[in-house]
Amino acid sequence: MMEAEKTMNPFGVELIRQIRALDQFGNWSRISDDELLIKKYVKTKEELKAVPVIADIDEMMINDIKMIYKAIALSFERKTGIVCNVIMEMSHEGFGRCAILSDRICIIDKYFKDAHRFSFRSLEALFEEGDKNLERALKVYEQYKPCMIGV
């Protein structure tokens, strides 16, 4: 059993699974799950003040943001058994969009500006946002699922 499975909600567990799965060289193996999530996604107000307002976003940050939406998609798949696709387009300036598609239904559509400043104040805020997006995705899917009959 992973350390995360003892204390985190299902979204947090899925996010940790995604991060650990992509750690092909074991760079994160000695870091606890909470520390890893804090390092990647949590910034204090002071840390955010140090990030310039106008800056280019690096590929690592784009991948970290996409990882959140992949975790939402996989959590959705585990709950419903329906396969999802995560589509993300981001400019070098940090403007872009992320969408999660299930069947032909867009269950999540998020627009970003200043993505290089993307962060949460705490792990609880990260988990709450993940759960909120997952619940919203489930509601959207249930709302539009009847439209898919016969398509």
Side-chain angles (χ1 to χ4, degrees):
M1 177 187 283
M2 287 175 30
E3 170 189 341
E5 294 179 15
K6 298 176 196 167
T7 59
M8 291 184 197
N9 64 7
F11 164 76
V13 171
E14 198 60 59
L15 184 57
I16 280 293
R17 284 181 183 151
Q18 289 295 303
I19 294 170
R20 298 270 186 215
L22 293 177
D23 183 23
Q24 61 190 7
F25 298 112
N27 294 330
W28 304 112
S29 62
R30 293 192 177 131
I31 298 175
S32 74
D33 295 331
D34 286 346
E35 287 178 77
L36 181 54
L37 291 175
I38 288 169
K39 185 173 188 136
K40 285 187 164 292
Y41 298 110
V42 176
K43 290 183 184 157
T44 64
K45 286 184 179 182
E46 292 75 30
E47 290 172 324
L48 269 181
K49 285 180 185 176
V51 176
V53 175
I54 300 172
D56 287 349
I57 187 168
D58 66 339
E59 283 298 316
M60 289 291 289
M61 185 68 175
I62 292 171
N63 289 335
D64 288 345
I65 295 170
K66 190 172 185 179
M67 197 96 49
I68 289 174
Y69 291 91
K70 283 183 176 181
I72 293 168
L74 284 167
S75 297
F76 181 90
E77 287 179 16
R78 287 186 197 283
K79 283 193 176 229
T80 64
I82 297 170
V83 178
C84 297
N85 289 321
V86 177
I87 301 165
M88 187 166 179
E89 183 69 34
M90 185 75 64
S91 76
H92 67 92
E93 296 171 327
F95 293 94
R97 171 172 270 161
C98 184
I100 301 175
L101 303 176
S102 181
D103 283 341
R104 295 180 182 175
I105 302 170
C106 182
I107 57 174
I108 296 284
D109 183 22
K110 173 71 174 162
Y111 179 77
F112 293 96
K113 63 177 191 169
D114 298 336
H116 63 283
R117 299 173 62 84
F118 180 84
S119 65
F120 297 91
R121 295 285 176 265
S122 66
L123 281 181
E124 292 76 25
L126 170 64
F127 298 151
E128 284 173 21
E129 185 70 19
D131 282 344
K132 185 173 75 174
N133 278 311
L134 179 58
E135 290 304 315
R136 188 178 314 129
L138 290 166
K139 285 180 186 174
V140 168
Y141 186 79
E142 287 303 316
Q143 179 181 355
Y144 291 103
K145 183 171 65 172
C147 300
M148 297 302 297
I149 296 173
V151 175

